[in-house]
DNA sequence: CTTCTCACG
DNA sequence: ACGTACGTGAGAAGC
């Protein structure tokens, strides 16, 4: 009657509960000494920023910072917020070469973010058993994803090398290893499946690099001719398509003219014409029914799509395009989690599923069982559902999350 | 408490 | 003319 509830969410509740109770070990001493190394760097940067500004002020206050940048130093102000001029990363990026203070602000923001959120925050969240026990919220998101809080272990830094260091402090207990597996391009594979687009399905079935293949197909060139720049653009388009992107935002993202961005999107949707038809279909049905639906029948109501405010209605359409993709990917990894949990319980009870990060699962297992745990992870993730394209997951083992990912 | 900013997929 | 990519959680500032 309610297959998402009965077949996915109810079985998943026990899995999430077990993951929270198990937790993951934090190397608190190493985390602390990393923090102690950050502090003098933050201090030094603050001094340089005060010197560049000509006086001390609270760098962490966007209000005070905008007075320094846009009034005292006379830098050109950009976007406005409700309460004043924006000082966010996009705005500062445009000013990077205009004043020596800008790169210092970037560095200061990066280091204080890492220190405040990930040194102090994680230190405060470690339990007496030396492990982090997050709360996985099962009924929080609109799309069917789970979220993680107190502490959030789904936004631990990875994109920059300095931030990535924090993953060294998430470790396996003595005698254990972490096995980590993540899905390759799960959202684009879901899009290929849901849209049934022949060209996109073919690309995934042939097993090449999706972004390179997309660039080659759209531009009509052999894949080996694709430059890194062309691949980056194709990647941004692939990414944007999943969000129901417009030319304006794509242009801003990859730094081309709006006209050029519009051509990229147009060429993409002409080549992957099944994707254009699919997007039309899901927005129409959301307007008619008032909801979007995932592959397994999870519904999200979208009142925005009936709004008379066209900005809100446009948001409704993007939600209608994105929710089936993000939500189906969420359904799939939830199914995989229940499969992994059951299979470990039956075949490798010393191993524990401990973390989920949207397209990634982490198991902790005794050293000598870690390879087997990794195999089980890969098999159960890849076999969770049958799609029109292969679903692949790559596993790795290590002493820490840094090593295993 | 809201706003701004920034970390993740 | 206007606004402009989906989904989250957390810390600091300031009201
Ligand atoms: Mg991945």
């Amino acid at each position: 009657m309610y297959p998402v509830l009965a077949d996915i969410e109810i079985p998943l509740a026990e899995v999430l509960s077990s993951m929270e109770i198990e937790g993951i070990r934090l190397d608190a001493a190493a985390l602390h000494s990393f923090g102690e190394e950050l502090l003098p760097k933050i201090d030094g940067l603050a001094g340089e920023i005060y010197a560049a500004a000509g006086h001390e002020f609270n760098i962490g206050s966007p209000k005070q910072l905008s007075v320094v940048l846009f009034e005292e130093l006379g830098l050109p102000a950009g976007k406005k917020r409700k309460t004043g001029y924006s000082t966010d990363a996009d705005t500062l990026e445009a000013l990077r070469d205009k004043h020596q203070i800008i790169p210092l602000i970037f560095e200061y923001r990066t280091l204080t973010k890492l220190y405040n959120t990930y040194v102090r925050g994680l230190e405060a969240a470690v339990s007496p058993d030396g492990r982090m026990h997050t709360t996985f919220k099962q009924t929080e998101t609109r799309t069917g994803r789970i979220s993680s809080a107190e502490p959030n272990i789904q936004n631990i830094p990875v994109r920059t090398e300095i931030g990535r260091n924090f993953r060294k402090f998430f470790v396996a207990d003595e005698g254990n290893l972490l096995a980590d597996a993540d899905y390759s391009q799960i959202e684009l594979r879901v899009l290929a499946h849901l849209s049934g687009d022949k060209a996109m399905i073919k690309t995934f079935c042939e097993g090449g690099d999706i972004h390179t293949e997309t660039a080659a197909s759209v531009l009509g060139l052999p894949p080996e001719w694709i430059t890194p720049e062309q691949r980056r653009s194709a990647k941004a388009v692939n990414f944007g398509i999943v969000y129901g992107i417009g030319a304006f935002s794509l242009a801003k993202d990859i730094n081309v003219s709006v006209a050029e961005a519009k051509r990229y999107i147009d060429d993409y949707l002409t080549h992957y014409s099944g994707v254009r038809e699919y997007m039309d279909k899901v927005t129409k049905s959301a307007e008619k029914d008032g909801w979007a639906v995932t592959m397994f029948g999870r519904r999200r109501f979208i009142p925005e799509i009936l709004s008379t405010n066209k900005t809100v209605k446009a948001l409704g359409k993007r939600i209608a395009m994105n929710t089936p993709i993000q939500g189906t990917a969420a359904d799939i990894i939830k199914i995989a989690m229940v499969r992994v949990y059951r299979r470990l319980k039956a075949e490798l009870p010393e191993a524990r599923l401990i973390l989920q990060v949207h397209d990634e699962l982490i198991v902790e297992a005794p050293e000598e069982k870690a390879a087997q745990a990794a195999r089980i992870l890969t098999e159960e993730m890849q076999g969770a559902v049958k799609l029109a394209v292969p679903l692949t997951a790559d596993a790795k083992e290590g002493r820490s999350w840094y090593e295993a990912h």
Side-chain angles (χ1 to χ4, degrees):
Chain A
M1 195 63 197
Y2 295 104
V4 171
L5 180 67
D7 302 337
I8 300 178
E9 300 298 344
I10 299 288
L12 182 70
E14 179 185 332
V15 179
L16 294 175
S17 160
S18 159
M19 291 165 69
E20 291 180 359
I21 291 167
E22 195 63 26
I24 182 165
R25 182 172 159 196
L26 191 76
D27 184 345
L31 173 66
H32 192 81
S33 44
F34 187 73
E36 293 300 306
E37 290 173 27
L38 291 178
L39 281 174
K41 295 192 175 124
I42 290 169
D43 245 30
L45 283 164
E48 291 186 69
I49 290 167
Y50 301 148
H55 62 88
E56 295 194 3
F57 65 103
N58 187 343
I59 307 164
S61 162
K63 189 174 171 172
Q64 293 183 38
L65 181 62
S66 75
V67 170
V68 168
L69 297 181
F70 306 128
E71 293 178 25
E72 299 173 11
L73 298 180
L75 292 166
K79 289 179 292 191
K80 284 190 87 162
R81 289 269 187 265
K82 290 177 183 174
T83 57
Y85 292 110
S86 179
T87 67
D88 68 12
D90 269 0
T91 306
L92 296 190
E93 195 52 59
L95 304 174
R96 188 182 273 283
D97 300 327
K98 297 225 179 345
H99 197 282
Q100 60 186 45
I101 201 172
I102 302 296
L104 298 171
I105 304 279
F106 268 113
E107 184 77 1
Y108 180 87
R109 284 234 172 114
T110 300
L111 298 189
T112 52
K113 173 76 174 178
L114 294 179
Y115 184 75
N116 290 326
T117 304
Y118 299 105
V119 178
R120 289 182 36 192
L122 291 177
E123 277 186 338
V126 65
S127 294
D129 65 359
R131 299 177 73 93
M132 319 269 336
H133 300 272
T134 187
T135 299
F136 286 111
K137 299 191 179 183
Q138 199 177 356
T139 56
E140 190 69 14
T141 72
R142 312 298 300 262
T143 56
R145 278 188 175 182
I146 60 176
S147 75
S148 159
E150 292 181 278
N152 182 357
I153 51 77
Q154 293 181 322
N155 72 344
I156 303 302
V158 67
R159 292 173 189 171
T160 66
E161 197 44 54
I162 185 162
R164 193 182 273 241
N165 278 300
F166 285 92
R167 295 182 176 227
K168 294 176 177 169
F169 313 133
F170 289 79
V171 295
D173 210 340
E174 276 86 15
N176 289 349
L177 285 174
L178 302 179
D180 179 319
D182 75 302
Y183 281 119
S184 161
Q185 304 296 346
I186 188 171
E187 292 194 346
L188 286 173
R189 288 172 198 266
V190 165
L191 174 59
H193 175 85
L194 292 177
S195 70
D197 183 272
K198 292 286 190 297
M200 191 175 276
I201 289 172
K202 182 161 178 284
T203 297
F204 276 118
C205 288
E206 289 173 358
D209 175 87
I210 180 65
H211 304 309
T212 301
E213 294 298 325
T214 296
S217 303
V218 170
L219 299 171
L221 298 171
E224 58 271 21
W225 288 16
I226 297 304
T227 66
E229 178 65 30
Q230 287 169 323
R231 184 184 182 277
R232 263 197 303 280
S233 300
K235 184 177 178 180
V237 177
N238 272 324
F239 201 54
I241 289 289
V242 170
Y243 298 151
I245 199 179
F248 179 92
S249 302
L250 179 64
K252 191 152 67 74
D253 190 40
I254 60 175
N255 210 14
V256 298
S257 71
V258 174
E260 215 167 336
K262 183 168 167 15
R263 222 193 58 233
Y264 285 161
I265 295 172
D266 244 45
D267 290 352
Y268 183 103
L269 293 175
T270 300
H271 183 75
Y272 296 129
S273 58
V275 172
R276 193 197 297 272
E277 289 160 21
Y278 172 75
M279 295 301 181
D280 281 349
K281 187 183 86 174
V282 295
T283 49
K284 292 282 191 315
S285 86
E287 284 193 75
K288 174 175 167 287
D289 302 329
W291 65 71
V293 61
T294 70
M295 182 176 164
F296 299 92
R298 184 189 306 274
R299 284 180 190 176
R300 173 179 180 175
F301 288 83
I302 310 175
E304 294 91 342
I305 207 162
L306 295 178
S307 173
T308 54
N309 176 323
K310 70 179 181 174
T311 303
V312 176
K313 188 181 182 76
L315 170 63
K317 289 185 179 179
R318 294 195 298 272
I319 293 171
M321 293 186 265
N322 175 261
T323 295
I325 301 170
Q326 189 182 122
T328 297
D331 293 340
I332 291 170
I333 197 166
K334 284 175 167 179
I335 292 166
M337 290 165 76
V338 172
R339 289 164 55 104
V340 168
Y341 179 82
R342 288 179 177 164
R343 194 144 164 228
L344 291 177
K345 195 167 182 174
E347 290 178 29
L348 201 60
E350 317 91 310
R352 296 277 189 278
L353 181 59
I354 58 175
L355 297 182
Q356 188 252 43
V357 190
H358 309 305
D359 70 345
E360 173 185 13
L361 296 178
I362 300 181
V363 167
E364 180 171 3
E367 273 169 32
E368 66 279 9
K369 306 280 186 179
Q372 195 187 343
R375 272 196 304 277
I376 289 174
L377 258 184
T378 307
E379 287 169 15
E380 297 308 321
M381 287 174 78
Q382 293 186 166
V385 295
K386 183 104 185 87
L387 301 180
V389 296
L391 188 55
T392 64
D394 306 305
K396 236 172 119 182
E397 298 146 46
R399 276 286 304 152
S400 70
W401 197 359
Y402 181 95
E403 285 180 15
H405 185 61

